[in-house]
């Protein structure tokens, strides 16, 4: 099953309580996720076992969070967003860094980009655009770009406490905004 529309239909049936559709969906997604993770992890010299663990984690997340899926959208951008975040979390937990990538593969890993990542970045940019500039920049610099609170404070010309407060308040506003959109 390769068609995004077919997978989306299976997801809709799964949400409606069709157990057979749910099993078919998870089976179809597991192959796609396995390919995705094997490709991403192979570039950094990591093994298939890590990919398998990530496939399972992602399928569990899809299963438990399927009620959050926007039924007016295609499924795969949502799935790949979850997969991408699971991968990032895994790499952070296992202390992966650019330094752990063999030098001959570094350009491949760093240059790799995909449509789902671009869509996620677009969605994030749209969400952040709703916030006041100092709040938006604090979240962008610390949470997205990985800058320290001190670096962000210097760049924004505000105190470190203000950066932390802006991030906290901004994330709360974004969470409420996303919850309202899901309800609508």
């Amino acid at each position: 099953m390769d068609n995004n529309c077919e997978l989306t239909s299976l997801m809709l049936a799964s949400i409606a309580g069709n157990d057979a559709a749910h099993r078919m969906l998870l089976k179809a997604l597991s192959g796609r996720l396995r390919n995705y993770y094997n490709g991403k992890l192979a570039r950094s010299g990591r093994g298939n076992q890590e990919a398998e663990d990530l496939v399972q984690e992602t399928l569990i997340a899809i299963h438990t969070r399927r009620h959050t899926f926007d039924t007016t959208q295609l499924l795969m951008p949502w799935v790949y967003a979850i997969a991408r975040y699971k991968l990032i979390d895994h790499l952070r937990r296992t202390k992966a860094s650019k330094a752990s990538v063999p030098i001959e593969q570094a350009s491949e890993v760093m240059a790799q980009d995909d449509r789902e990542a671009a869509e996620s970045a677009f969605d994030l940019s749209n969400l952040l655009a709703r916030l006041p500039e100092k709040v938006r920049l604090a979240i962008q610099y610390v949470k997205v770009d990985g800058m320290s609170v001190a670096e962000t404070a210097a760049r924004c010309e505000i105190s470190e406490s203000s950066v932390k407060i802006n991030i906290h308040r901004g994330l709360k506003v974004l969470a409420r905004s996303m919850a309202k959109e899901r309800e609508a």
Side-chain angles (χ1 to χ4, degrees), residues 57-181:
E57 280 184 45
T58 306
L59 290 175
I60 290 169
I62 290 166
H63 171 74
T64 59
R65 304 291 298 164
R66 67 181 179 233
H67 67 280
T68 67
F69 173 65
D70 181 351
T71 58
T72 65
Q73 301 296 314
L74 291 174
L75 177 67
M76 291 315 295
W78 182 77
V79 168
Y80 282 123
I82 292 170
R84 182 172 171 267
Y85 288 116
K86 289 291 181 187
L87 177 63
I88 290 167
D89 288 344
H90 173 74
L91 294 175
R92 283 183 182 150
R93 274 193 320 266
T94 59
K95 306 283 190 240
S97 68
K98 295 174 192 172
S100 66
V101 176
I103 192 69
E104 61 275 2
Q105 295 176 358
S107 64
E108 289 178 33
V109 173
M110 301 315 296
Q112 181 64 26
D113 196 13
D114 54 18
R115 185 177 57 99
E116 291 77 24
E119 288 174 358
S120 294
F122 179 74
D123 290 343
L124 180 61
S125 295
N126 284 338
L127 285 171
L128 290 175
R130 300 175 185 178
L131 299 172
E133 182 181 18
K134 289 202 180 214
V135 174
R136 177 179 44 80
L137 290 176
I139 292 171
Q140 175 70 42
Y141 293 153
V142 175
K143 297 296 185 181
V144 178
D145 298 340
M147 292 174 60
S148 71
V149 171
E151 291 170 319
T152 300
R155 184 178 243 182
C156 294
E157 298 178 353
I158 59 176
S159 70
E160 290 182 28
S161 294
S162 293
V163 170
K164 292 174 186 177
I165 290 168
N166 285 342
I167 291 169
H168 177 74
R169 290 180 179 164
L171 292 176
K172 284 178 76 172
V173 167
L174 291 177
R176 281 194 303 266
S177 175
M178 290 178 355
K180 285 179 186 177
E181 286 180 13

Side-chain angles (χ1 to χ4, degrees), residues 1-15 21-33 62 69 73-80:
M1 173 167 304
D2 294 324
N3 187 332
N4 198 352
C5 291
E6 291 175 22
L7 290 171
T8 303
S9 295
L10 283 176
M11 178 60 138
L12 296 175
S14 172
I15 291 170
H22 187 64
R23 282 190 298 276
M24 288 174 53
L25 173 68
L26 294 179
K27 183 177 180 181
L29 291 178
S30 66
R32 286 179 172 222
L33 291 169
I62 290 166
F69 173 65
Q73 301 296 314
L74 291 174
L75 177 67
M76 291 315 295
W78 182 77
V79 168
Y80 282 123

